[in-house]
Amino acid sequence: MITFEEILYWLREKSPERLNELWRWADRTRQEQVGDAIHLRGLVELSNHCRRNCLYCGIRASHKTVSRYRLTLEEVLECAKKAADFHYGTLVIQAGEDLKFDEAFITEMIREIKARYPLAITLSLGERSESEWIRWHEAGANRYLLRFETSNNLLFRAIHPVSPDSGGRFGDRIAMLKTLREIGYEIGSGVMIGIPGQSVTDLACDIDLFRQLDLDMIGCGPFLPHPETPLGNLRQDGNEWVSRILDQNGLPAFRFPVAEEPVTGTNEMTFKVYALTRLVCPQANIPSTTAVVTLGGKEGRQNGLCRGANVIMPNLTPTKYRALYEIYPDKSASFESAEETHQKALENIRAIGRFPGSGPGGRVRGDQKEEMPKI
Ligand code: SAH
């Protein structure tokens, strides 16, 4: 079993030859544990309304110039039909924390999708109430994604401000993940890589926490600065990062010590995280995320899939809304149709000699990996 010190060692490693060993180790582990199937999860960005003010996110409540949208139930069902037509096993429904999509609406949406299509459903709707989570699970939702973003508590608190109009307290996401698992969901979490103030030791602790939580799904990507957000608009003042954007009290919205050994949000650092995550959670589902494609194009995606990842989440959101779900700038696939995004995903899979997974592609346990179909 890889130790905490080894995780730190690899996060610090710079030599391309040595890193090739890490990539090979992670890829071999992925092959042995979950096989060569790449699971496709159709992503639906349900709403960009949000009550929160996360300092990094382009759809935070205080970002006034972004046009807000909500999908109708019919539009969601059209996305679900596409997912089924493309033979995806899972629909991932993600949104800002939008309370207009209340318990009843989400419940009906889940029931309607489940009645029509053989899709697993993953929800990514932020911090909602336990009673909502229970109802949605009863209605048929299978999995829940809630990134803890960083295991450094001080940094977590600094980037997730609490105020009455942003929805009150931010909860303990670790406790929430445990609750979600008790309800019966497969649970997914993850972090951003290269948050200002994040240290290499923090990142090693994040990876160690993936192991302790025994996560079923782990999604990580580089932090991508959005200039209209407090975290995307910083200056360095001595040993501190200070935001040029002010909070409602007229103070810098972010002020945090520069890490002694800072994490850089590059694709290489992200691949180290994918590889180490595969080693600590060998049977987890790990996506090569949209953020690595945004930084590194299709090569970024393919590298991710050869360094630990085994999942792609092609975007199915109607094109007219995609650019508005602007959690960070220049998000990949913002101007494509679902068909184009789908074809690109298939090309990426073929290019590296793997095959699309069939069925829901839930977490494997024991020796259940899928073999390449014989043609
Ligand atoms: N409201 C939901 C979904 C948030 S969007 C929730 O809170 O869970 C999904 C993920 O996008 C977030 O968890 C965050 O890790 C990532 N994200 C947001 N802004 C980002 C940025 N500027 N750069 C990189 N990733 C970002």
Side-chain angles (χ1 to χ4, degrees), residues 14 63 172 262 336:
K14 293 201 172 66
H63 187 194
D172 173 351
E336 294 169 10

Side-chain angles (χ1 to χ4, degrees), residues 56-58 94-97 124-126 145-147 149 173 192 222-226 325 327-328:
Y56 44 86
C57 184
Q94 184 173 88
E97 270 184 39
S124 173
L125 304 175
L145 294 177
L146 186 66
R147 290 188 178 178
E149 314 293 359
R173 292 195 169 191
M192 285 182 292
F223 161 69
L224 298 167
H226 188 305
Y325 197 80
I327 51 181
Y328 48 77

